[in-house]
Amino acid sequence: MTSPARRPSRVAKLPPRERILDAAEELFQSEGIRRVGVQAIADKAETTKMAIYRHFETKDELVAEWLRIVAADYRAAFDRVEAEHPGRPREQILGVARFIADGLPAVSYRGCPFINSIAELPDRSHPARLVIEQHKERQTRRLVGLCAQAGLTDPEQAAAEITFVLEGAQVSTQNGSIDRTGERLMRTVEGIVDRYRPAGDVPGSTTP
Amino acid sequence: MTSPARRPSRVAKLPPRERILDAAEELFQSEGIRRVGVQAIADKAETTKMAIYRHFETKDELVAEWLRIVAADYRAAFDRVEAEHPGRPREQILGVARFIADGLPAVSYRGCPFINSIAELPDRSHPARLVIEQHKERQTRRLVGLCAQAGLTDPEQAAAEITFVLEGAQVSTQNGSIDRTGERLMRTVEGIVDRYRPAGDVPGSTTP
DNA sequence: CCTTGGTGATACCGCTCGGTATCGTGTGGA
DNA sequence: TCCACACGATACCGAGCGGTATCACCAAGG
């Protein structure tokens, strides 16, 4: 067993495994998975191919591990948004939408890592596919839960619509076909929440 | 100049250029662009690499030509839908949505060629990127026009929402996070059209 | 002290890639 | 009849790929 917090030799450097994952993150996101060779990752991480293969069985496993981290980041953001509006599912839903909307400018250059990766990995048995599908399913279930808590009629449909819109906004931002996608995304999600709100409900209050 | 309709040697075969494009279509769609080598396309087209490079300058140009054809197919389908409901923009909008919804099962295995290709081609100067971006912009403008003809309040916003949803439904179908995406997509688009319908308008009639 | 194990560096493997060169062949138009 | 030309087949090129082997190094732990 290695000590839990290793101290790097002399420079203030992260341990190799973290540097590799950071470098992979940057390169996979900006260039795509298949365009990036293991050697390029090693160079950017200031290490060698051998070091990479000491920490990850194959390149495919490294890809999967990267996506696991990205998925965990999204879940953490989801958690944070929920914690900011305790007991207010409507604000939680809009908060999630806001989180995605705010991320759109950064995404505009290369888009959503899950959407892009699934396009690059047609093989359904690829380890990264499992990560993506599990993540998407968790996110959807979580959104259904929020919609149900918000008392929306037909929470599954509402969650599906919101999911469509969140994904579509990222795609449309990436291909540049629509302007002000963030703002439009927020209006769209508000429209969906409105549409499925139980009759007589007033925006902004879930329990009187 | 070659004669406009060449007769193949003896078998009822398409001319090489068409066979190449057909083979490329199948392989790019099912495997992705970068996973498919020029040799594989030649094999499937029952020709040789040399023949491919006689008809297309580079592989990138072949990719662009393929996407030009796909874009033309989408535009033709759009035309057909419009022609089926002349003077009824609301039905035309729903017809376009229906066209996409009906295509989802076929798409479910590998998704939308434009979304996938843009994910595989981070280089913004790639010839295929131009094709994709022009196509998406044309589609969006056309949708805005339909929304305006339908008298929807804020046609740009309505068209943006519909675009989000059409793209998102394809992505969600591909990653399998949502069930019955076709049906849900139709309901969503109906909801958007409803939401932006001018006050007092009755569904199904645009001019009395 | 000396051993152990993660590290860096380099060279290498077989394979596939996009793209080119070369040569033979069959066919249609003049 | 003969020429031009698209086509098919094959071999080849340099480069990059994922992945492995080998060796020296250096810090920590007994």
Side-chain angles (χ1 to χ4, degrees):
Chain A
M1 284 296 165
T2 59
S3 40
R6 298 267 317 283
R7 193 131 318 270
S9 52
R10 50 187 70 207
V11 207
K13 247 191 197 178
L14 290 163
R17 189 187 150 92
E18 318 300 318
R19 298 206 312 272
I20 292 166
L21 283 168
D22 284 356
E25 155 109 61
E26 269 199 54
L27 291 172
F28 287 156
Q29 175 62 30
S30 63
E31 306 280 335
I33 295 171
R34 295 185 58 84
R35 289 184 93 90
V36 173
V38 179
Q39 183 61 58
I41 299 172
D43 291 347
K44 172 151 247 171
E46 293 181 81
T47 178
T48 62
K49 261 188 355 173
M50 272 315 297
I52 292 182
Y53 283 102
R54 279 196 202 93
H55 288 279
F56 305 93
E57 283 198 351
T58 62
K59 182 191 176 185
D60 289 340
E61 265 308 321
L62 171 58
V63 173
E65 187 63 22
W66 162 56
L67 288 175
R68 260 176 230 120
I69 293 175
V70 176
D73 289 348
Y74 272 85
R75 261 175 288 149
F78 214 135
D79 291 342
R80 196 162 8 91
V81 167
E82 282 193 359
E84 279 171 10
H85 309 280
R88 298 170 147 271
R90 186 176 182 276
E91 277 67 30
Q92 290 171 336
I93 294 170
L94 293 177
V96 169
R98 167 66 61 193
F99 170 74
I100 299 292
D102 289 346
L104 288 180
V107 140
S108 86
Y109 212 53
R110 262 294 287 169
C112 165
F114 299 110
I115 299 175
N116 289 341
S117 296
I118 217 169
E120 286 198 271
L121 307 174
D123 179 6
R124 293 177 101 84
S125 66
H126 191 289
R129 288 286 294 243
L130 192 65
V131 177
I132 296 175
E133 277 150 24
Q134 282 181 350
H135 171 69
K136 292 290 181 186
E137 202 201 319
R138 258 193 308 251
Q139 294 284 81
T140 299
R141 274 221 300 267
R142 202 164 173 177
L143 203 49
V144 171
L146 285 187
C147 289
Q149 285 175 45
L152 301 192
T153 65
D154 204 342
E156 269 96 8
Q157 175 67 19
E161 298 196 6
I162 293 171
T163 301
F164 288 167
V165 168
L166 295 182
E167 308 269 32
Q170 297 185 69
V171 170
S172 294
T173 302
Q174 187 179 4
N175 69 39
S177 62
I178 291 174
D179 62 325
R180 289 176 297 160
T181 47
E183 178 188 327
R184 296 197 189 280
L185 169 59
M186 288 312 296
R187 286 187 59 189
T188 310
V189 174
E190 286 163 11
I192 295 168
V193 173
D194 261 30
R195 179 173 178 80
Y196 291 98
R197 183 166 37 215
D201 195 1
V202 179
S205 74
T206 47
T207 40
Chain B
M1 284 295 163
T2 59
S3 41
R6 295 269 313 284
R7 193 132 316 269
S9 51
R10 49 188 68 208
V11 207
K13 246 190 195 176
L14 290 163
R17 190 187 149 93
E18 316 302 317
R19 297 207 313 270
I20 292 165
L21 284 167
D22 285 356
E25 155 108 62
E26 269 198 54
L27 291 172
F28 287 157
Q29 176 60 33
S30 63
E31 307 280 335
I33 295 172
R34 295 186 59 83
R35 288 185 93 90
V36 173
V38 179
Q39 183 62 57
I41 299 172
D43 291 347
K44 173 151 246 173
E46 293 183 80
T47 179
T48 63
K49 259 183 10 168
M50 270 315 297
I52 292 181
Y53 281 104
R54 272 196 276 269
H55 287 281
F56 305 93
E57 282 200 350
T58 64
K59 182 191 177 184
D60 289 341
E61 266 306 322
L62 172 57
V63 172
E65 188 62 25
W66 162 56
L67 288 175
R68 261 177 230 120
I69 292 174
V70 176
D73 289 349
Y74 272 86
R75 260 175 289 150
F78 214 135
D79 291 342
R80 197 163 6 93
V81 167
E82 284 193 358
E84 280 171 10
H85 309 279
R88 298 170 147 271
R90 185 176 181 277
E91 276 67 31
Q92 290 171 336
I93 294 170
L94 293 177
V96 169
R98 167 65 62 192
F99 170 74
I100 299 292
D102 289 346
L104 288 180
V107 140
S108 85
Y109 211 55
R110 262 295 285 170
C112 165
F114 300 110
I115 299 175
N116 289 340
S117 296
I118 217 169
E120 287 198 89
L121 306 173
D123 179 5
R124 293 177 103 83
S125 66
H126 192 289
R129 288 286 296 242
L130 191 65
V131 177
I132 296 175
E133 276 149 24
Q134 282 182 351
H135 171 71
K136 292 291 182 186
E137 203 202 319
R138 259 194 307 251
Q139 295 283 79
T140 299
R141 275 221 300 267
R142 203 164 172 175
L143 204 48
V144 172
L146 286 187
C147 289
Q149 284 175 47
L152 300 193
T153 65
D154 204 343
E156 269 94 9
Q157 175 67 20
E161 298 194 6
I162 293 170
T163 301
F164 288 168
V165 167
L166 295 182
E167 307 270 31
Q170 297 185 70
V171 170
S172 294
T173 302
Q174 187 178 3
N175 69 39
S177 61
I178 291 175
D179 62 325
R180 288 176 298 160
T181 47
E183 177 188 328
R184 297 197 188 281
L185 170 58
M186 289 311 296
R187 285 187 60 188
T188 310
V189 174
E190 285 162 11
I192 294 168
V193 174
D194 261 30
R195 180 174 177 81
Y196 291 98
R197 184 168 37 216
D201 195 2
V202 180
S205 75
T206 47
T207 40

